[in-house]
């Protein structure tokens, strides 16, 4: 995939100008190449920040000695002023001195190959960089700390012990499960399966945290959809006027709602119209709610409910939905008792009820699951979820075979399912992963990480 016996270099800070910029080198010649770039009064010392000069700048260089570095190799990080020109010149001179420009994610890939981190932690690095909400950062940091790895390792220990005893029993074909009773084996398999089921359950809300959700705000004209959109964003993104049909196209922005990254879409008011532009807007609004993860159906308490309101309630009934009774700051002409469903009472204008609405949105998206706690090792990655599901199904087959009413199936057949379950767990952590999967994972990273 990548050559790992040479020295790589890249700018490790984001593109653009800033107070500081860092050039990172990793590999066997990192120290020699960096010292050729620098004018030093004293040689680089391990784990000491050393003042130096380049042709264009004053810098601070730090040498991390292998294996006690991010990559497990010799690493030198040079902190300079954050001029793109200065940083690029340092990279060019390092390459002239024998370094190779790093590929995306290559520093982290070397950390993985050198056993500094496993694949779960490597993926968590990318997630932590990409995090835009506190909850996303927290979930990624938990995985980077190795909490998910520890839970998978604990499962693997139990599975390995059971496999070892079943394999030993193969030498006694006429005596049943010689080193483990069938009842004990079945109970152990069900216990491991239940543990995996818990992880899979966490994955459903973990992916919500990692990937976010799409929320469509729908309703008739002038019920306050754009006002609600702006209130949730805490910004005047959509134009708000008393004129029906002001919003004619989809307007989409991202908001942090209770730690969840939600893509909010303000849609055209739904009504019968002859305006060709508005007709297209209404069609787009309908498509938006059919593909959304959550629908906010907005009704206006200051106007009588009409047939169109009940039609919308019926049309969106099969969607994951929160009904919003808006404009409670005005004199209401109907109450929640007039609706066949529960509605959140809010005022987009004054902000009353918005906190309760946001809590309800999050609760509906998460289902019956509680919010992720700080010490939870939630599964957030679709790759992990699929592999855990595979391991769970393999264990279920094995348990069914052991508990077969007609008599336990022979050890070798049970072992096939157990080995498959263990292989799936090893793919999660990277002990057993194809080069194509690794290439795909590390291609997500930025150059310099």
């Amino acid at each position: 995939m990548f050559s790992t016996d040479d020295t790589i270099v890249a700018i490790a800070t984001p593109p653009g100008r800033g107070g500081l910029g860092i050039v990172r080198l990793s590999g066997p010649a990192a120290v020699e190449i960096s010292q050729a770039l620098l004018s030093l009064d004293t040689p680089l010392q391990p784990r000491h920040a050393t003042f130096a000069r380049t042709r264009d700048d004053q810098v601070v260089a730090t040498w991390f000695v292998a294996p006690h570095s991010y990559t497990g190799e010799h690493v030198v990080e040079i902190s300079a002023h954050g001029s793109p020109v200065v940083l690029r010149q340092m990279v060019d001179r390092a390459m002239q001195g024998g370094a190779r420009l790093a590929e995306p994610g290559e520093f982290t890939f070397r950390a993985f190959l050198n056993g500094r981190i496993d694949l779960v932690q490597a993926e968590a690095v990318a997630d932590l960089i990409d995090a835009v909400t506190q909850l996303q950062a927290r979930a990624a940091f938990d995985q980077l700390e190795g909490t998910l790895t520890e839970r998978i390792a604990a499962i693997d220990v139990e599975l390995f012990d059971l496999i070892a005893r079943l394999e030993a029993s193969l030498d006694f074909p006429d005596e049943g499960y010689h080193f483990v009773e069938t009842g004990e084996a079945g109970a152990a398999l069900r216990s491991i399966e239940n543990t995996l089921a818990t992880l899979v359950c966490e994955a459903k809300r973990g992916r919500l945290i990692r990937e976010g959700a799409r929320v469509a705000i729908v309703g008739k004209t002038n019920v306050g959809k754009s006002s609600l959109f702006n209130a949730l964003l805490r910004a005047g993104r959509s134009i708000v006027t008393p004129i029906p049909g002001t919003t004619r196209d989809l307007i989409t922005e991202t908001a942090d709602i209770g730690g969840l990254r939600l893509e909010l879409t303000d849609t055209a008011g739904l009504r019968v119209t002859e305006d060709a532009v508005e007709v297209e807007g209404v069609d787009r609004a309908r498509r938006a709610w059919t593909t959304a993860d959550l629908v906010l159906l907005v009704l206006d308490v200051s106007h009588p409910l009409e047939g169109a309101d009940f039609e919308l309630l019926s049309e969106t009934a099969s969607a994951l939905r929160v009904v919003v009774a808006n404009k409670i700051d005005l004199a209401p002409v109907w109450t929640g008792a007039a609706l066949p469903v529960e509605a959140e009472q809010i005022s987009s204008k004054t902000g009353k009820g918005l906190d309760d609405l946001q809590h309800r949105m999050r609760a509906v998206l998460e289902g019956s699951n509680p919010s992720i706690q700080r010490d939870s090792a939630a599964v957030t990655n679709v790759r992990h979820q699929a592999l855990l599901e595979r391991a769970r199904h393999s264990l279920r087959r094995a348990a069914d075979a052991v508990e077969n009413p007609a008599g336990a199936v022979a050890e070798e057949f049970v072992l096939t399912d157990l080995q498959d379950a263990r292989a799936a767990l090893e793919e999660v952590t990277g002990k057993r992963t194809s080069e194509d999967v690794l290439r795909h994972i590390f291609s997500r990273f930025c150059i310099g990480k």
Side-chain angles (χ1 to χ4, degrees):
M1 181 176 169
F2 298 130
S3 172
T4 57
D5 57 1
D6 53 1
T7 298
I8 55 176
V9 64
I11 299 171
T13 40
R17 293 171 174 80
L20 290 174
I22 296 174
V23 171
R24 173 185 283 166
L25 296 102
S26 179
V31 177
E32 290 77 5
I33 293 172
S34 62
Q35 289 186 148
L37 296 176
L38 307 173
S39 296
L40 293 160
D41 295 330
T42 59
L44 292 179
Q45 298 295 320
R47 296 186 175 276
H48 281 74
T50 304
F51 177 79
R53 293 178 176 82
T54 66
R55 294 183 191 176
D56 309 294
D57 201 5
Q58 297 176 333
V59 302
V60 174
T62 308
W63 171 23
F64 301 92
V65 180
H68 305 295
S69 69
Y70 179 71
T71 64
E73 304 172 329
H74 290 308
V75 170
V76 177
E77 293 184 352
I78 303 173
S79 299
H81 293 97
S83 162
V85 173
V86 170
L87 298 175
R88 282 198 299 269
Q89 286 177 341
M90 275 199 285
V91 170
D92 289 343
R93 288 168 189 158
M95 292 172 66
Q96 292 168 10
R100 170 175 62 80
L101 185 63
E103 298 288 338
E106 191 168 0
F107 291 98
T108 304
F109 179 68
R110 291 190 176 198
F112 165 68
L113 287 184
N114 291 322
R116 297 290 292 170
I117 55 176
D118 62 23
L119 197 54
V120 171
Q121 293 170 305
E123 290 169 289
V125 170
D127 289 344
L128 190 57
I129 292 171
D130 292 339
V132 295
T133 71
Q134 183 180 3
L135 203 53
Q136 285 179 325
R138 181 186 300 171
F141 185 70
D142 280 340
Q143 293 187 356
L144 184 58
E145 289 279 90
T147 48
L148 176 58
T149 300
E150 290 171 2
R151 288 175 69 174
I152 292 176
I155 294 170
D156 187 62
V157 168
E158 293 183 61
L159 199 52
F160 178 78
D161 176 68
L162 192 56
I163 288 172
R165 289 196 280 169
L166 285 172
E167 286 182 340
S169 297
L170 289 173
D171 295 330
F172 302 88
D174 299 326
E175 301 182 33
Y177 293 2
H178 186 78
F179 290 98
V180 57
E181 294 181 355
T182 55
E184 180 187 356
L189 288 170
R190 295 299 183 193
S191 174
I192 299 171
E193 182 193 344
N194 289 338
T195 302
L196 284 172
T198 300
L199 284 173
V200 170
C201 183
E202 287 183 9
K204 295 175 183 177
R205 60 187 163 88
R207 285 185 58 194
L208 173 63
I209 288 173
R210 180 177 184 261
E211 299 170 12
R214 293 171 296 177
V215 178
I217 304 175
V218 303
K220 297 187 309 181
T221 56
N222 273 28
V223 294
K225 299 184 303 299
S226 295
S227 296
L228 175 57
F229 180 76
N230 290 340
L232 291 172
L233 290 174
R234 299 179 179 85
R237 178 65 176 83
S238 277
I239 296 173
V240 177
T241 76
I243 302 172
T246 300
T247 302
R248 296 189 169 202
D249 202 352
L250 304 181
I251 302 174
T252 300
E253 290 289 348
T254 299
D256 179 349
I257 305 293
L260 298 181
R261 182 180 184 272
L262 301 186
E263 185 181 272
L264 302 178
T265 299
D266 184 19
T267 66
L270 300 174
R271 65 170 179 169
V272 177
T273 176
E274 299 298 324
D275 186 305
V277 176
E278 195 174 349
V279 167
E280 176 62 23
V282 170
D283 288 342
R284 293 187 180 190
R286 292 185 184 279
R287 291 197 296 271
W289 95 50
T290 58
T291 59
D293 299 299
L294 176 68
V295 173
L296 295 185
L297 174 56
V298 184
L299 306 174
D300 182 354
V301 300
S302 68
H303 285 77
L305 289 170
E306 302 174 342
D309 294 305
F310 292 104
E311 286 179 15
L312 284 171
L313 284 165
S314 176
E315 288 182 40
T316 60
S318 60
L320 198 62
R321 179 184 71 180
V322 174
V323 178
V324 181
N326 193 21
K327 302 188 182 181
I328 60 172
D329 54 295
L330 302 178
V333 298
W334 56 270
T335 65
L339 295 175
V341 294
E342 182 183 354
E344 291 294 320
Q345 308 286 319
I346 72 156
S347 168
S348 297
K349 182 177 181 179
T350 66
K352 185 176 181 180
L354 278 178
D355 287 343
D356 290 338
L357 172 60
Q358 292 181 65
H359 288 313
R360 177 78 181 282
M361 289 168 62
R362 177 167 171 172
V364 170
L365 284 167
E366 290 183 338
S368 60
N369 294 306
S371 302
I372 279 188
Q373 300 300 314
R374 176 64 186 86
D375 58 353
S376 173
V379 178
T380 60
N381 187 304
V382 65
R383 185 183 76 87
H384 303 165
Q385 182 179 2
L387 289 168
L388 292 171
E389 286 275 19
R390 185 181 118 192
R392 182 186 175 191
H393 289 317
S394 296
L395 287 171
R396 181 176 298 169
R397 287 195 304 269
D400 289 343
V402 169
E403 297 172 345
N404 188 348
V409 175
E411 294 95 324
E412 52 263 47
F413 297 105
V414 177
L415 282 166
T416 298
D417 288 326
L418 298 189
Q419 295 288 8
D420 183 65
R422 193 158 186 248
L425 296 179
E426 289 179 343
E427 285 188 49
V428 175
T429 57
K431 290 182 179 179
R432 185 187 311 208
T433 305
S434 71
E435 184 174 314
D436 287 341
V437 171
L438 292 176
R439 187 183 300 277
H440 174 73
I441 289 171
F442 287 100
S443 67
R444 292 179 50 217
F445 285 67
C446 54
I447 292 176
K449 192 55 184 175

